[in-house]
Amino acid sequence: MSEDKFNHKHNDKFSHVLRLADHAMILSQRLSQWCGKGPALEEDMALTNVALDLIGQARLWYSYAAELEGKGRTEDDLAFLRDAHDFHNFLLLEQPNGTYADTLMRQFLFDTWHYHYLQALQQSSDQQIAAIAEKSLKEVTYHLRRSSDLVVRLGDGTELSQKMMQAALDELWRFTGEMFMDDEVDVAMHEAGIAPLPSQLKSAWDTHLADVMHAATLHLPDASSWMHKGGRQGVHTEHMGYLLAEMQFLQRAYPGAQW
Amino acid sequence: MSEDKFNHKHNDKFSHVLRLADHAMILSQRLSQWCGKGPALEEDMALTNVALDLIGQARLWYSYAAELEGKGRTEDDLAFLRDAHDFHNFLLLEQPNGTYADTLMRQFLFDTWHYHYLQALQQSSDQQIAAIAEKSLKEVTYHLRRSSDLVVRLGDGTELSQKMMQAALDELWRFTGEMFMDDEVDVAMHEAGIAPLPSQLKSAWDTHLADVMHAATLHLPDASSWMHKGGRQGVHTEHMGYLLAEMQFLQRAYPGAQW
Amino acid sequence: SDAERAFQDRIDAGIRIEAKDWMPDAYRKTLIRQISQHAHSEIVGQLPEGNWVTRAPTLKRKAILLAKIQDEAGHGLYLYSAAETLGVSRDELLADLHSGKAKYSSIFNYPTLSWADMGAIGWLVDGSAIINQIPLCRCSYGPYSRAMIRVCKEESFHARQGYDIMMALCRGTAEQKAMAQDALNRYWWPALMMFGPSDAASVNSAQSAQWRIKLFSNDELRQRMVDQTVPQIEYLGLQLPDPAIKWNEERGHYDFGDINWDEFYQVLKGNGPCNRERLRTRVKAYEDGAWFRDALQAHADKQHDQKKSA
Amino acid sequence: SDAERAFQDRIDAGIRIEAKDWMPDAYRKTLIRQISQHAHSEIVGQLPEGNWVTRAPTLKRKAILLAKIQDEAGHGLYLYSAAETLGVSRDELLADLHSGKAKYSSIFNYPTLSWADMGAIGWLVDGSAIINQIPLCRCSYGPYSRAMIRVCKEESFHARQGYDIMMALCRGTAEQKAMAQDALNRYWWPALMMFGPSDAASVNSAQSAQWRIKLFSNDELRQRMVDQTVPQIEYLGLQLPDPAIKWNEERGHYDFGDINWDEFYQVLKGNGPCNRERLRTRVKAYEDGAWFRDALQAHADKQHDQKKSA
């Protein structure tokens, strides 16, 4: 464990920004594993585009987090030199790509949260956060439109595609709960007028999900089913360590080198 | 690239021992990926046992290599702090596990080489090398007996198993050529009476392969087909980087720590 | 019945029941359930450790971990064999595991998130297992008791090796010590839960006690684990993972906090962090291995036919 | 025939041929082969770079590499579209790729073994591609020439980015510089081979030249690449990857060593280091994606039916 987890609890704004960075970073990393292997050329391009948008957003958030921290760390230090327990992304985002149906469903479930969260974040009392949110929202609006559209077309496609999309939804559902759990960082951010409470976004998320799933002829899993949590607190799934070992190899193997 | 590749060319004995260490290390690493996932409990135990033997051998070779180098590096430094281009194992050994048929065929092809190489190495003019070879040979004799036996039983098993074993053989064949290519290190070692020339082992290898494949009702691929090479010179396949990123993570992420 | 009375008399006299002896159906069934659950735990228990074997930080640690995982497969073998003496095949037992009908220890549904978890598992999980199993070396069913003797011997090695990993981390860098603390915090409660529900909520205990296949209550064993482990935590210089832990002079035991039984039952129901992954991995291994087992059988049949016709 | 003569006259007059124009069958076939081979190269070419995108050393480099890979998919799209104007579908072209009937640039059958390879590919491979393609911006077939104009514009970015990676490595640590040298050594000869066999061994060149779909000989373009690259190597402070490289005052060009054409033909025959992996990856991607493409089609059909019945 690095110092992050133990010494920075006081710095809630740093934690908050870092979480947003980690969400974008880890999902971008997963998406980039599809490069050149998508189901159609147009899809390869679109998915790479989302990965690119997210890495751009991660860079903005990491840079701001580094500034807030004020210890001279860079965006690359934050991305490449923290171990798993210091990453604060949702468990959903680190899940393996699975089939393309799993990848798209993961994207849709996150895009819906991301869209509503950024929308609220535009009203942040922190000008920098509001500005990054506004810029990101332009991209995420497109991400959400795209993934919603694909979920509908693939849900209401063939028998096989419906089955695959339903299986993806059922598989990933247990990771959606933590997106709406408020913790002390959230409460502090909300009280400071910096960010919305995640729990406040749940009904908008539910509504969009219900609409899309209806059009997609997919069934929403039981809302009361057991939900996993821990990602934002640094308690991940076993997939996270492998993801980072690969992602961080060069920075770890050649410490201090400029690239 | 570290200094290894560029400054140690003169130290042929170091290179030679390091190659033996790397063969054992990398194959052991691949085998350990099967832990708890084998096709039968007895098989899990046996395969883990081979992985254990190999890691034991790797430790002996690395320790001796470190001693020969005389720069204060340890067995762990050699295993965990070199990048891919400084590893000198056969390409065959770094290939992904594939199906269990692929794993067994890779094992058999290597065991046959390993057995004959170690047997010759017992006569090394270097006492330490002869001693490690003798100790290793006891284990490898069992490895070869086991993998030969399994190749026969699975080749001459069901239609499916025969097909799978044949496919494994066809797939891995192109990596067997470099086991018998003499390079400058081999020539120097041979001239010093330290090791056999790899090319000298080819006919014993061929004979054992022919016997086993005959009993296994499998067909040997064309002997003149194109062979890949490069592993012993540090030019690997794309799989190697991923294998090392995973294997070396902790040593890289926590430099200098004692475990 | 007379047979049942005679059976219980033998048990009370400390005479071992052997496979060929008459035994009540319920005794047989309870044993099959208990032994197979234990066997399944050994097999599934390879997975959380297998998760770090490719990332072990030194060659020596890697070798020790490999040997441990190999031992676990061996324990699985003894235990399936012990269960088989009761007239059930390994394939039947595995089918129950794969369908979710049979259970394995819930502890293996927790993820291994750092190298320190290899220490915590050896120390706390094998430690608890030993406390559970030592009494079973004296249980009434001969094949089970003999299997337990072998298992316990090896597991005490594993527990010591786990503690050794923790020691190295606690003597290491601040980051390493934090890693050890985190592993202790995450594994402490699940390890306590390994002893099962509290006596008040425990079913079938009385009958099992009478049959001498359960020799101490869950709560007694759990207390033994806490009493044994707290001084070890202190020796490591780690913080206690439960603020309620306190020496109770009067009881001569450590008091400790309330266990979150809701979590226990959620994990049991399949909602633990890794239930799906663990079972899926085992089922996949078994299904992917079908061709292999079939082929060995087919080859053996061919050999047999050849011998007959020769 | 008259049509053929008129066709050739238009070409000689520098007038572009368009999709709807009459053209000789052989012209059409040659173009389909050439354009689709180029398209396939873009698609397969994503893979060696995709191999490092998850391991890029900085966020900025990762973003640049992602953008490059995306551009390549885009080039594939333009080029398949250009080929489609000649009356062949993308699925037919892909089927030929997957069966091994159609080729792609052999350079992508070499492995990417270090981060420096991302530099070498941008610099040497895209650099060579541009030298090949710039003349094609003026080729006789309109859709192809227009696609080439777009492609070349983006590829000159890629080449510069690749050189920038090499610069950073050569200014970096000794290890980084060694990495750059190693990448140059491994990619140099394959990059020279990208221009195809030497003119003496080249088939169909005369006809293609007459049709203005091949405007310079392989050897001319190869010489251009060497002349352009040697000073860059020197500027980077790297050693020349070929001891025979030497400025020839008389020719006004660099001399260089003999190319190992045996290796070239082996790679072409499928024996390159990664031929199997690359093709297998693409075939798997296509097959795994069938459900996706089918579903989008099925959905579109449903929408269409609804509109009709509404």
Side-chain angles (χ1 to χ4, degrees), chain B residues 36 39 42 156 246 251 259, chain C residues 54 57 61 90 282 293 302:
Chain B
E42 291 79 358
D156 185 23
E246 181 179 324
Q251 286 273 356
W259 301 92
Chain C
T54 59
R61 293 284 182 204
R90 202 204 294 181
R282 284 306 311 166
R293 299 187 302 274
K302 281 187 207 176

Side-chain angles (χ1 to χ4, degrees), chain B residues 31 35 50 57 87 103 106 110 124 135 152 164 178 186 204:
Chain B
L31 294 180
C35 270
V50 177
Q57 295 171 22
F87 272 79
T103 292
R106 181 184 62 196
F110 176 68
S124 176
K135 185 180 180 316
V152 170
M164 288 178 73
E178 73 165 340
D186 298 312

Side-chain angles (χ1 to χ4, degrees), chain A residues 136-171:
Chain A
S136 302
L137 185 61
K138 291 203 184 86
E139 295 164 348
V140 171
T141 302
Y142 163 73
H143 299 175
L144 178 60
R145 195 180 314 140
R146 184 184 114 79
S147 62
S148 302
D149 179 56
L150 277 171
V151 168
V152 169
R153 288 155 74 196
L154 296 168
D156 185 24
T158 63
E159 207 176 314
L160 174 61
S161 72
Q162 190 194 38
K163 207 179 121 195
M164 289 179 72
M165 294 303 284
Q166 185 68 54
L169 179 58
D170 294 344
E171 175 66 21

Side-chain angles (χ1 to χ4, degrees), chain D residues 43-57:
Chain D
I43 300 316
V44 177
Q46 295 179 286
L47 300 177
E49 290 173 328
N51 186 43
W52 280 90
V53 73
T54 60
R55 293 178 286 173

Side-chain angles (χ1 to χ4, degrees), chain B residues 9-252:
Chain B
K9 280 224 167 105
H10 61 285
N11 196 337
D12 290 327
K13 202 199 273 187
F14 171 76
S15 296
H16 173 252
V17 172
L18 203 54
R19 288 172 178 188
L20 289 163
D22 288 344
H23 295 329
M25 178 78 242
I26 297 302
L27 183 55
S28 177
Q29 178 71 5
R30 280 289 183 223
L31 294 180
S32 69
Q33 293 175 333
W34 274 106
C35 270
K37 297 170 192 163
L41 206 39
E42 291 79 358
E43 202 51 33
D44 263 344
M45 289 180 68
L47 202 73
T48 305
N49 199 58
V50 177
L52 255 173
D53 287 346
L54 290 171
I55 206 172
Q57 295 171 22
R59 294 182 65 190
L60 294 172
W61 292 125
Y62 278 138
S63 296
Y64 187 44
E67 190 188 318
L68 288 171
E69 190 189 36
K71 292 188 169 179
R73 289 208 280 187
T74 66
E75 60 175 40
D76 288 325
D77 293 338
L78 290 173
F80 295 106
L81 299 178
R82 287 179 301 145
D83 201 349
H85 48 260
D86 282 331
F87 272 79
H88 304 283
N89 55 283
F90 296 138
L91 301 177
L92 175 70
L93 306 176
E94 73 205 36
Q95 297 311 301
N97 286 333
T99 67
Y100 205 70
D102 297 322
T103 292
L104 286 175
M105 188 57 76
R106 181 184 62 196
Q107 190 69 40
F108 169 69
L109 295 170
F110 176 68
D111 286 346
T112 310
W113 177 89
H114 204 193
Y115 174 83
H116 289 105
Y117 197 85
L118 290 173
Q119 208 170 45
L121 213 56
Q122 286 183 303
Q123 271 74 57
S124 176
S125 63
D126 181 302
Q127 294 307 306
Q128 183 84 353
I129 288 177
I132 300 175
E134 192 184 337
K135 185 180 180 316
S136 302
L137 185 62
K138 291 203 185 87
E139 295 163 347
V140 171
T141 302
Y142 164 75
H143 299 175
L144 178 60
R145 196 179 314 138
R146 182 184 115 79
S147 63
S148 302
D149 178 58
L150 277 171
V151 167
V152 170
R153 288 155 75 197
L154 295 168
D156 185 23
T158 63
E159 206 176 314
L160 174 61
S161 72
Q162 190 194 37
K163 207 179 121 195
M164 288 178 73
M165 295 303 283
Q166 185 68 55
L169 179 59
D170 294 343
E171 174 65 22
L172 296 171
W173 187 247
R174 63 202 159 121
F175 297 114
T176 58
E178 73 165 340
M179 300 198 290
F180 307 102
M181 293 177 188
D182 304 334
D183 73 359
E184 49 200 5
V185 172
D186 298 312
V187 171
M189 288 298 98
H190 183 245
E191 283 171 358
I194 291 172
L197 275 181
S199 58
Q200 293 173 332
L201 308 170
K202 182 67 162 54
S203 72
W205 188 83
D206 281 341
T207 304
H208 185 67
L209 243 72
D211 288 351
V212 169
M213 293 308 164
H214 178 77
T217 70
L218 297 177
H219 302 290
L220 278 173
D222 187 355
S224 70
S225 59
W226 182 259
M227 290 292 170
H228 292 315
K229 58 169 189 274
R232 295 198 311 160
Q233 290 74 38
V235 182
H236 290 273
T237 58
E238 288 178 355
H239 309 294
M240 191 68 179
Y242 294 98
L243 182 150
L244 293 182
E246 181 179 324
M247 180 173 115
Q248 301 180 332
F249 180 76
L250 281 176
Q251 286 273 356
R252 302 281 196 189

Side-chain angles (χ1 to χ4, degrees), chain D residues 45-228:
Chain D
Q46 295 179 286
L47 300 177
E49 290 173 328
N51 186 43
W52 280 90
V53 73
T54 60
R55 293 178 286 173
T58 69
L59 297 176
K60 191 176 164 195
R61 291 285 182 204
K62 191 187 286 276
I64 291 172
L65 187 58
L66 270 171
K68 181 180 181 201
I69 296 172
Q70 192 189 23
D71 284 348
E72 282 155 4
H75 298 174
L77 267 186
Y78 313 155
L79 287 159
Y80 284 124
S81 298
E84 281 177 321
T85 63
L86 293 160
V88 60
S89 75
R90 202 204 295 180
D91 278 342
E92 291 173 85
L93 296 174
L94 288 176
D96 285 348
L97 171 66
H98 298 160
S99 73
K101 195 183 147 199
K103 298 288 172 205
Y104 54 87
S105 180
S106 276
I107 192 89
F108 302 120
N109 289 319
Y110 289 86
T112 51
L113 299 179
S114 81
W115 173 251
D117 291 6
M118 297 303 100
I121 286 181
W123 171 35
L124 303 175
V125 177
D126 289 68
S128 295
I130 293 168
I131 290 172
N132 252 327
Q133 290 160 14
I134 288 251
L136 293 174
C137 296
R138 299 181 286 117
C139 82
S140 65
Y141 187 58
Y144 189 25
S145 97
R146 289 188 291 276
M148 279 297 101
I149 291 169
R150 291 182 69 175
V151 168
C152 282
K153 213 175 280 177
E154 293 178 354
E155 280 189 345
S156 68
F157 267 106
H158 300 167
R160 246 176 294 162
Q161 286 159 354
Y163 194 69
D164 189 61
I165 289 176
M166 297 304 276
M167 284 282 283
L169 295 173
C170 291
R171 284 178 186 155
T173 66
E175 283 178 325
Q176 286 178 301
K177 193 162 180 184
M179 218 182 251
Q181 182 71 56
D182 180 63
L184 168 61
N185 294 349
R186 281 185 290 106
Y187 273 95
W188 173 255
W189 293 107
L192 290 194
M193 294 181 203
M194 284 176 69
F195 297 92
S198 71
D199 297 342
S202 193
V203 268
N204 300 326
S205 284
Q207 178 63 82
S208 288
Q210 196 185 8
W211 281 334
R212 295 187 61 82
I213 51 181
K214 181 174 181 75
L215 293 101
F216 294 94
S217 81
N218 295 347
D219 286 336
E220 276 176 284
L221 294 171
R222 185 162 21 240
Q223 183 68 59
R224 204 173 286 182
M225 144 72 170
V226 173
D227 290 346
Q228 166 185 310

